[in-house]
Amino acid sequence: MADHSSHLSTPQPGMITVGQVRSILDRWYPPSLAESWDAPGLVCGDPDEAVGRIACALEATDAVVDAAIEAHADMLVVHHPLLMRGTTSVAADTPKGRIVHRLIRHRIALMSAHTNADAAVGGVNDVLAQVLGVVVECPLEPVAQPVDLWGIQVPVDSVEAVRNALFKAGAGQFDGYDQCSFETLGRGQFRPLTGSHPVVGTTNQIETVEEVRIHVVAPTLARSTVRKALVDAHPYEVPAYDVKTIDSGSRPGPVTPGIGRVGHLDEPMTLRSFTQRVSERLPQTVWGVRAAGNPDQPITTVALCSGAGDSLLDAAAASGADVYLTSDLRHHPADEHLRAGGPALIDTAHWASESVWCADVARRLHDELGLPCQDLGIRTDPWTIGAAVAQ
């Protein structure tokens, strides 16, 4: 067993903490994108403890924990939540409890990013698309994101400061664009009452000021952050503003979050050739890669969903794609899909379609934090034997 006596515990100035890593992962893969049945997040670990080395894997198995201990990791980042289903015990003599106890004993925090990482821009599905040479155009099933429309009255000479504060807080981002705003010029009127402390005007006298109304959109989830930013940047004692939730009506695009992706191949090819490319570019498994459809069918547009995606067969058919790539396809749903005229199918091993994310998140964490971050490279595919009849 590796000696973990050198593990960091109390953070020193400038050190990275578990909580800071969690915040970064939540920013990249917002928990709000997770499915209602999912349970991503910090499973164990003290948010205030220091992190000097991070390990990444698809899931926390005994072999993965062994490797994390050997690597002297302070934090383990995985895709599949350890405690996603109902759990009534983490006793050390249960499979999941054994893992939790070992992680805690070795001061290794465990965090997962699951369907939130599937849906997030730059997450699992985007990594899979990039590996397979698919240029993403939109999500297969977009996630509805509530959007706020803000209107803020600002004196003319403070417009730039307030606008920049709003942008910094996350406002003004819209379907692939940022720093978006619309402004109208008008005249504001108010009368400071006794007890107020006006920046402009005199108590109990009506004052008129040339003002600009700034209009920006922002995620509803960022409402408190945007409000604080505008209040802090606004020169008035009591800023005048309004906010309402709207349907943005934007067309889903490559920076729209959602499950799965639809895009075009970097070069057209037949179903046979694309299936071969998938087999060569994804990690090898005994499951292999199988396809259903005319081997000589031209493929230009691909729908894909990492992990088990037969619940999105209808969405794949509606997307107009030539082929739908996912994992864990079952006989009857696949057969009915093909009989209904849906796109060709490519079925991969669940582990293979998602494990490519591990190296990507390790790279991103290293680039962001400057810490040693590694993909442990542990094969957690449960299937170990494959047999095929010679053709």
Side-chain angles (χ1 to χ4, degrees), residues 10 28 32 72 92 98 105 131 145 158 168 187 196-197 209 222 331 362-363 367 371:
T10 304
W28 291 344
S32 61
H72 297 282
R98 178 175 66 241
R105 288 194 189 107
V131 168
Q145 290 288 285
S158 298
K168 189 174 181 181
R187 187 180 70 172
S196 63
H197 301 85
V209 181
H331 174 91
R363 174 192 59 79
D367 292 346
L371 298 178

Side-chain angles (χ1 to χ4, degrees), residues 18-40:
V18 169
Q20 288 173 306
V21 177
R22 175 173 63 180
S23 295
I24 290 170
L25 291 169
D26 284 348
R27 170 161 52 87
W28 291 344
Y29 317 116
S32 61
L33 296 178
E35 298 291 327
S36 59
W37 47 263
D38 199 8

Side-chain angles (χ1 to χ4, degrees), residues 22 45 49 55 60 88 92 99 106 123 128-129 132 148 171 176 181 186 210 229 266 294 311 316 329 334 343 363 377:
R22 175 173 63 180
E49 287 206 342
T88 59
I99 288 173
H106 290 274
L128 176 61
L132 299 180
D148 284 342
S181 67
E210 189 177 52
D266 52 9
N294 179 358
S311 64
L329 283 174
R363 174 192 59 79

